[in-house]
Amino acid sequence: MRETGADNQTVLAELDTARAREPDVHGAHLFGLVYPSARVDVEDLAHEVADRYLFSNALNPFRFPEQARLMEEVVTDVGALVHLPAGGGGSTTSGGTESILMAMLVHRERARARGVERPTIVAGVSAHPAYAKAAHLLGMELVQVPLDQAWRTDVTAARELIDDRTAVVVASAFSYPHGVMDPVADLAALAAEAGAGCHVDACIGGFVLPFLERLGRPVPPWDFRVPGVTSMSADVHKYGYVPKGASVVLHRTADWAGLQWFVYDQWPAGLYGSPGVAGARSPAAVLTAWAVIRHLGRAGYTQLMADLMAGVDRFRAEVDAIMGLAMVGDPIGPVLALTTPGASAAAVAEAMTERGWYLNRVTDPDGLHLMLSPAHLPLLDALLTDLAQCRAAAPPSPTADQPVRYA
């Protein structure tokens, strides 16, 4: 810490210099990490709400009952999107990792109640690393299931890995690496048969799949309408188009939701309780989510998804026509993985970075990863042109790309 403070303009200038060295989050050249709506009204609203709640504290709902009520409305709205039954419950969290962590905690407690000392999480290798993190933090064990030829969690392999120690079976709707749907109904049935829970990870899909359904696109069974699904996670800060820090975890029944809570009164300051990892936390992100959900409504989100998927369809059609590029699996939404047969994906990605496109990578199979957002739509021609040129100029790979399967 410096001895003498600086004026606001000096501090902001230093921040601007640092920010200029990184990708522009509003420049529509990032593919993941941020999900720009390209809507000035949405972003202006987010700024206005965040400023109102920047210094508030979501820890004590008795002191701030109105903000607690509004945050609960976010849970209710998201629950309605995924058909949470009456009597279900949940809470807001800081993001998908915390939502997953709290869901795994609940399933661990349920398994311990039936005498399992070290419960397992059965999840496909395409499941988010948050499940490995949860296992590490909660004294559980992660059992990874290989993928089938469609890059989905293999149901037959899962059946062999589920046993008396299984606390929860995970289904991704849809997966981050490949954008494909796991067979939720089949995995939930296996879990129910074993007396275990089934968590549907809709951290990406929670604000995609409901609106694909409204558009009449085919979506396999995936939410609480599926028997055996006991919990779900959905991030508003992805395709809900709000700033980071807004996610929801949901449980089919209220008694399961209650297992999330940590309550303590053995200290001089009285009762302390929290449904998540954090104690004190800003409500700004979740209340921004409340405001944007209210502003857009189902019709607004459906229109955004209609426009986005029209661009995704066009992108996929163009990719199919580019020599040396291939789509991985059959992604259901705007999250896509591409391979570069005959060339190193790293070389293509590096060439794209030199042109200012910050594509992500997947390692199984070796390929490129894109999460398209509405802000990308006006730039699709430039993106596709550069992608075709970078692929054509990429040096041949010394060995053919071979998909990897985890055993």
Side-chain angles (χ1 to χ4, degrees):
M1 181 184 295
R2 297 169 181 170
E3 182 64 31
T4 304
D7 62 76
N8 287 5
Q9 292 305 313
T10 299
V11 173
L12 292 173
E14 189 172 342
L15 276 179
D16 287 342
T17 299
R19 187 174 63 168
R21 299 190 186 108
E22 296 177 334
D24 179 5
V25 297
H26 297 288
H29 280 60
L30 284 164
F31 297 89
L33 300 178
V34 296
Y35 302 79
S37 67
R39 291 274 298 265
V40 174
D41 57 327
V42 170
E43 296 203 358
D44 284 350
L45 180 61
H47 282 288
E48 291 285 348
V49 177
D51 186 61
R52 282 163 169 75
Y53 287 96
L54 187 61
F55 291 101
S56 192
N57 189 347
L59 173 62
N60 190 333
F62 303 106
R63 183 64 66 200
F64 298 106
E66 283 302 299
Q67 72 180 30
R69 176 182 65 83
L70 296 174
M71 294 171 78
E72 183 59 32
E73 287 188 11
V74 174
V75 176
T76 300
D77 285 343
V78 176
L81 281 180
V82 300
H83 299 90
L84 179 68
S91 73
T92 60
T93 71
S94 63
T97 293
E98 187 179 7
S99 289
I100 288 166
L101 183 65
M102 301 321 296
M104 296 304 100
L105 171 66
V106 168
H107 285 91
R108 186 196 71 178
E109 294 304 289
R110 296 285 294 192
R112 284 185 174 177
R114 58 183 170 87
V116 181
E117 291 186 8
R118 187 173 170 81
T120 64
I121 301 167
V122 176
V125 297
S126 57
H128 195 277
Y131 297 98
K133 188 174 187 177
H136 171 70
L137 293 174
L138 299 174
M140 303 175 77
E141 181 182 338
L142 178 64
V143 176
Q144 290 189 297
V145 184
L147 305 182
D148 63 20
Q149 293 303 307
W151 302 95
R152 310 175 308 165
T153 298
D154 189 291
V155 175
T156 301
R159 180 180 286 107
E160 298 300 316
L161 294 170
I162 295 170
D163 58 24
D164 292 343
R165 293 174 56 213
T166 302
V168 57
V169 178
V170 174
S172 296
F174 37 87
S175 72
Y176 175 91
H178 311 119
V180 301
M181 294 284 288
D182 272 344
V184 174
D186 292 338
L187 293 170
L190 290 181
E193 195 178 304
C198 176
H199 179 76
V200 173
D201 186 344
C203 286
I204 304 176
F207 273 75
V208 173
L209 298 172
F211 305 109
L212 294 185
E213 291 189 69
R214 282 173 64 91
L215 291 168
R217 288 176 173 255
V219 177
W222 67 283
D223 62 9
F224 282 109
R225 289 169 291 182
V226 176
V229 171
T230 52
S231 64
M232 293 189 68
S233 50
D235 290 355
V236 193
H237 65 210
K238 289 190 170 71
Y239 287 99
Y241 308 114
V242 304
K244 292 296 180 183
S247 180
V248 171
V249 58
L250 299 164
H251 306 277
R252 182 179 288 274
T253 61
D255 61 329
W256 283 53
L259 292 173
Q260 262 191 242
W261 279 83
F262 175 79
V263 179
Y264 187 78
D265 63 359
Q266 301 301 305
W267 72 318
L271 182 67
Y272 174 96
S274 173
V277 174
R281 61 189 175 107
S282 170
V286 175
L287 293 181
T288 299
W290 177 89
V292 172
I293 289 170
R294 284 294 179 280
H295 175 60
L296 288 174
R298 290 182 185 239
Y301 277 115
T302 302
Q303 187 58 57
L304 276 166
M305 190 53 57
D307 295 342
L308 177 57
M309 289 307 298
V312 171
D313 291 343
R314 183 186 157 218
F315 181 86
R316 290 185 60 169
E318 294 285 346
V319 162
D320 287 344
I322 296 174
M323 184 69 68
L325 290 179
M327 193 68 58
V328 177
D330 186 17
I332 194 169
V335 177
L336 312 171
L338 312 174
T339 57
T340 59
S344 165
V348 178
E350 183 177 346
M352 289 292 285
T353 299
E354 290 175 357
R355 298 187 183 209
W357 301 103
Y358 300 97
L359 303 185
N360 300 318
R361 292 286 310 283
V362 287
T363 56
D364 179 18
D366 182 38
L368 309 172
H369 189 264
L370 299 90
M371 304 179 78
L372 294 174
S373 292
H376 296 125
L377 299 182
L379 304 178
L380 281 185
D381 285 335
L383 172 63
L384 286 160
T385 296
D386 284 348
L387 189 57
Q389 292 177 355
C390 289
R391 173 59 188 89
S397 178
T399 58
D401 296 330
Q402 294 293 329
V404 177
R405 286 291 185 272
Y406 293 90

